[in-house]
Amino acid sequence: MAETLLAALVSLDGTGHYFHWHWIDISYANLTVIILMVVVFVVALFLPFPGRRNKKETR
Amino acid sequence: MSESPDVKVAPWTGPQRPYDILKEGTIALVVVAILTIGLAIVFSSPDDPQVTVQQWSTKAPIDFAQTALSELNGTSGTAQYGAPYNTASPGQKLGPFTLAKWLGATIPVNTVRDFVIDPLTDQPPTPTLSAALAQWKGAGAGQRTAWLDAYTKASSKMTFANGTVSVPTTAAGPVPVMINSLEQMARSGALDQALVTQSGFYTSNYTLPLLFLADGSYLGDLAQQRHLLGSQWGMMNETGSYPGQAWLWLYTFWYQIPPFSTSTNADVEVSAVMALLSVLLLLVPFIPGLRSIPRWTRVYRLIWRDHYRSQSA
Amino acid sequence: MSSTEIDRQWTTRLRHRLTRRLPPEKVLPDTQPAYVASWIYVFGVTTLSALGVVILSGFILALKGPQWWHVSGVGHFVNSLHLWSVEIFFFAMVIHLWSKYFMAAWRGGRSLTWVTGVVTFLVSIATAFTGYVSQTNFDSQWISTQAKDGINSTGVGSFFNVLNFGQMLMWHIVLLPLVAVLLTALHVVMVRAKGVVPPFEDKPSEEKLLREKEEAR
């Protein structure tokens, strides 16, 4: 029972897929991780931080 | 002491805001724990089963026998490796420096003795094998080379049928029996054991079987199917569709471009480049230019936009 | 015993130094400078939290030994926790590094904080690598036989044998985590002692002068 519960819901065990362009050759898994890192970084830069507005209101 | 704005900044004397460090830490820990559990439930983790010498010799008997031959005649990757396994080659050079050679053959591997003769000697003796081993041990270097040359020359016509490796030559002395016996031993699983137990009952050192496996094509073929070869940027890849060591992207990147992609010293050259770049990263605060990029790019204006807004107000 | 004699003792001097550099309000602060107001600041604590989960899941794997996760569903799940927390750890650490770079966070006598951070990053890569070669599966077989060439070429292979599972496991679960955790602690203590780096100082005089010039036109 526990074994089936703990098995992956989305299996990533199949053959990997790769982004291949000239000498660049990267798995979509790694590419996703790297793009996600850049996205999270940019979002963290632009997303308003809570408390900012409050500060202005209390001023 | 430099007065550069990239080095100096006056201590903050402006306003403070409330900050609960313990609460922040607790929230972060809970969020990361939940995210980890979620990812583990949804995606699990890869575990491709290990390859054994038994599996290798069963699935690719010719590749195994050819590799065994290369260990005997000294043409295998390990036999010609140099330090730290032997002195067969000076190893890779970084300019005039042979770093590996200087540190010496600290993990000695004799491919003839360790991969063939010792395992065969540990086998329960059969009359044929005992005679072959006795013939080998009693022969001089010249005779052994002549046998191996004859076997090697005919080995392109090697066949495997009915569990037996055959090569069309009669001038190879005990070599056919030795190769064939090693093949039998491998297929029974006994060689897997013999390779790790040479230092005794308890073992945690897999240097010998891993070197032997890596000398053949079987392991590399499996890796190629899984897109793990060095030329496939394999260093940062994982089996299946899992993310791997993506943080090694720069390290594996250098192997793909000239001059490293065509260099026989690529490993030590790429290591040197990465060491240099790591030192540069370490010393960023002290390197003019590199430490000024943050000021020039003005990304900081975004991070501290409230601060600058309140200053200009 | 005179008070000057006590003052000269190593222990006393260390205590004085520590309390001067790290008063309780710096170790456990209840305020931050007003400019510390951006989501970009959460990646340090995220990295620390991920390190915590990495260590906890590693502890569970250590309880049962290196082969457990191949034969037990629960073990495999704990291995998954270990893998994904490592992915989150590096994910957050790299963003933390980017953000500290763009803030030039080494300013104002904080260069050693940067240096300890970079060393921790490099040690973490080595720690993760030794984990990959300690998996006792196809992955570790392939990674170790490949990595041996890179490491041997530098001579390091003479005393750091990636094909020696026992040696790699010891590095992975004892030596490198110890170094990584100590470095992380040192890094955090330095951040606490020096405080979060202030923004680049605007040069209001120049801007003001320009504005005044424009207004005068």
Side-chain angles (χ1 to χ4, degrees):
Chain A
M1 184 63 188
E3 313 286 300
T4 38
L5 274 178
L6 295 172
L9 297 178
V10 179
S11 175
L12 295 181
D13 274 320
T15 323
H17 298 278
Y18 300 86
F19 173 76
H20 203 148
W21 184 76
H22 292 271
W23 42 262
I24 292 178
D25 188 358
I26 185 169
S27 72
Y28 278 107
N30 277 339
L31 195 62
T32 307
V33 169
I34 291 169
I35 290 174
L36 213 55
M37 274 165 67
V38 176
V39 168
V40 169
F41 178 63
V42 171
V43 166
L45 284 179
F46 283 93
L47 197 70
F49 191 72
R52 275 177 168 173
R53 212 170 293 152
N54 296 344
K55 203 177 66 190
K56 264 179 197 164
E57 280 166 3
T58 53
R59 207 183 275 165
Chain B
M1 190 60 191
S2 170
E3 290 299 313
S4 158
D6 303 320
V7 175
K8 282 216 147 172
V9 64
W12 179 254
T13 51
Q16 303 272 321
R17 66 174 183 89
Y19 171 59
D20 193 341
I21 193 171
L22 275 187
K23 191 175 164 190
E24 184 198 59
T26 309
I27 292 172
L29 186 63
V30 170
V31 168
V32 169
I34 290 173
L35 193 59
T36 308
I37 293 169
L39 285 164
I41 289 175
V42 175
F43 295 121
S44 187
S45 53
D47 188 15
D48 274 24
Q50 52 193 277
V51 172
T52 59
V53 175
Q54 181 177 27
Q55 179 189 336
W56 171 27
S57 56
T58 308
K59 296 257 173 78
I62 300 274
D63 180 50
F64 174 81
Q66 295 280 8
T67 307
L69 172 63
S70 72
E71 306 296 4
L72 261 184
N73 68 14
T75 56
S76 72
T78 304
Q80 302 193 328
Y81 200 93
Y85 308 126
N86 49 50
T87 54
S89 129
Q92 294 195 16
K93 296 184 194 76
L94 185 64
F97 308 118
T98 48
L99 301 171
K101 193 182 166 192
W102 292 348
L103 282 142
T106 51
I107 307 163
V109 177
N110 178 326
T111 59
V112 177
R113 185 194 64 209
D114 294 331
F115 292 152
V116 185
I117 304 302
D118 280 0
L120 286 178
T121 309
D122 289 345
Q123 280 285 83
T126 62
T128 333
L129 178 59
S130 298
L133 284 174
Q135 194 182 1
W136 176 268
K137 287 173 183 166
Q143 178 62 68
R144 287 177 184 176
T145 310
W147 287 332
L148 284 170
D149 283 349
Y151 193 91
T152 306
K153 212 172 275 174
S155 68
S156 60
K157 297 190 184 106
M158 181 183 282
T159 54
F160 180 81
N162 303 322
T164 307
V165 181
S166 320
V167 158
T169 175
T170 50
V175 175
V177 172
M178 286 161 63
I179 297 278
N180 202 41
S181 303
L182 200 70
E183 179 92 37
Q184 309 308 324
M185 192 180 172
R187 289 163 71 86
S188 75
L191 186 56
D192 280 301
Q193 288 307 307
L195 288 171
V196 290
T197 51
Q198 288 188 15
S199 54
F201 178 82
Y202 283 110
T203 180
S204 59
N205 185 353
Y206 292 81
T207 304
L208 291 179
L210 282 171
L211 284 175
F212 201 165
L213 264 175
D215 281 337
S217 307
Y218 183 71
L219 189 71
D221 289 344
L222 291 179
Q224 187 176 19
Q225 290 161 21
R226 289 163 173 75
H227 217 89
L228 296 175
L229 294 189
S231 56
Q232 297 169 314
W233 296 60
M235 206 181 284
M236 59 190 284
N237 290 345
E238 177 59 271
T239 52
S241 301
Y242 288 92
Q245 302 183 71
W247 46 90
L248 294 181
W249 71 273
L250 189 58
Y251 189 48
T252 186
F253 159 77
W254 296 113
Y255 282 93
Q256 319 301 326
I257 58 159
F260 311 108
S261 55
T262 52
S263 171
T264 50
N265 298 310
D267 286 315
V268 69
E269 287 163 0
V270 171
S271 298
V273 168
M274 286 310 289
L276 183 73
L277 290 176
S278 300
V279 171
L280 281 182
L281 181 65
L282 198 72
L283 298 180
V284 158
F286 312 101
I287 302 171
L290 216 51
R291 69 183 180 196
S292 306
I293 294 173
R295 190 161 46 86
W296 297 336
T297 51
R298 297 171 68 84
V299 173
Y300 71 88
R301 307 273 329 178
L302 269 174
I303 296 170
W304 291 311
R305 56 186 180 272
D306 260 25
H307 164 76
Y308 291 114
R309 212 176 289 150
S310 67
Q311 269 204 333
S312 63
Chain C
M1 213 158 55
S2 69
S3 66
T4 49
E5 194 183 335
I6 293 178
D7 284 341
R8 276 202 305 272
Q9 287 181 139
W10 291 5
T11 315
T12 320
R13 277 154 65 182
L14 177 68
R15 192 184 66 226
H16 282 311
R17 257 186 88 163
L18 283 179
T19 45
R20 200 171 57 242
R21 292 254 190 114
L22 281 167
E25 60 273 20
K26 277 193 173 180
V27 179
L28 288 173
D30 45 23
T31 62
Q32 283 273 55
Y35 57 82
V36 185
S38 165
W39 283 106
I40 211 73
Y41 283 106
V42 305
F43 294 100
V45 69
T46 308
T47 312
L48 275 177
S49 304
L51 180 63
V53 179
V54 169
I55 290 173
L56 276 177
S57 52
F59 278 173
I60 303 175
L61 289 172
L63 279 175
K64 303 289 279 186
Q67 310 268 7
W68 172 54
W69 73 284
H70 299 302
V71 294
S72 149
V74 178
H76 195 113
F77 180 71
V78 177
N79 178 75
S80 305
L81 294 177
H82 201 56
L83 171 80
W84 288 106
S85 52
V86 167
E87 290 287 341
I88 296 172
F89 173 72
F90 277 100
F91 191 101
M93 182 158 48
V94 171
I95 298 179
H96 177 63
L97 183 131
W98 291 344
S99 61
K100 292 304 150 185
Y101 177 73
F102 284 112
M103 286 188 250
W106 51 79
R107 290 171 298 133
R110 294 172 176 83
S111 44
L112 261 183
T113 313
W114 173 272
V115 169
T116 52
V118 172
V119 176
T120 311
F121 178 53
L122 298 174
V123 169
S124 303
I125 290 176
T127 313
F129 167 76
T130 52
Y132 274 89
V133 298
S134 300
Q135 291 178 89
T136 61
N137 61 8
F138 174 77
D139 217 25
S140 56
Q141 289 179 311
W142 177 252
I143 294 174
S144 59
T145 51
Q146 287 296 292
K148 79 175 192 306
D149 298 330
I151 289 165
N152 287 343
S153 73
T154 62
V156 174
S158 290
F159 46 89
F160 185 82
N161 181 6
V162 295
L163 304 180
N164 186 334
F165 163 70
Q167 186 186 9
M168 288 304 105
L169 186 67
M170 294 296 188
W171 277 86
H172 181 64
I173 66 172
V174 182
L175 301 174
L176 288 170
L178 188 67
V179 174
V181 167
L182 286 178
L183 280 169
T184 306
L186 187 65
H187 184 72
V188 171
V189 164
M190 282 175 162
V191 174
R192 292 303 356 133
K194 293 274 181 183
V196 181
V197 74
F200 282 102
E201 281 153 33
D202 260 344
K203 289 171 193 153
S205 51
E206 277 178 33
E207 276 178 25
K208 238 180 217 171
L209 281 175
L210 272 172
R211 214 179 299 156
E212 280 167 4
K213 262 185 199 172
E214 275 170 18
E215 279 166 6
R217 252 179 226 166

